[in-house]
Amino acid sequence: MKLLVGGEFLPAGGLIGGGADELRWPRPVRPGDVLRVESEVLEIRPSQSRPDRGMVKTRITTLNQAGEPVQILVANMVVPRRPA
């Protein structure tokens, strides 16, 4: 989580967790592993109930030093929208 929050993926105005569709740990993390995080935007859509907000679905993959995924999270985030 520290890698994700301190990383480069920073939607304008911040974000609020809107739930998760998937969370998997396909491999264990061992002491001494070097981890990195990759984030991919899967979907962007306006909020149906709040026109000043939008929903962003992302796949967040944590990889070890061998490039093997150790955690996969598909998360939904609530973000502010720019005025039309």
Side-chain angles (χ1 to χ4, degrees):
M1 185 55 79
K2 181 178 178 182
L3 289 173
L4 175 61
V5 174
E8 296 177 10
F9 181 66
L10 301 171
L15 54 89
I16 301 167
D21 290 344
E22 177 183 337
L23 177 59
R24 294 186 289 136
W25 291 279
R27 289 177 184 76
V29 174
R30 309 266 185 223
D33 279 355
V34 177
L35 304 176
R36 65 184 170 93
V37 173
E38 294 180 355
S39 299
E40 175 186 5
V41 175
L42 302 174
E43 179 182 336
I44 299 172
R45 60 186 164 80
S47 170
Q48 295 179 353
S49 60
R50 307 251 338 245
D52 63 329
R53 303 283 169 97
M55 299 296 293
V56 177
K57 180 182 283 196
T58 59
R59 178 181 298 114
I60 302 155
T61 306
T62 305
L63 303 145
N64 64 14
Q65 65 278 358
E68 302 167 325
V70 296
Q71 182 186 57
I72 300 167
L73 170 64
V74 177
N76 299 297
M77 294 176 277
V78 181
V79 297
R81 290 181 66 194
R82 289 186 237 174

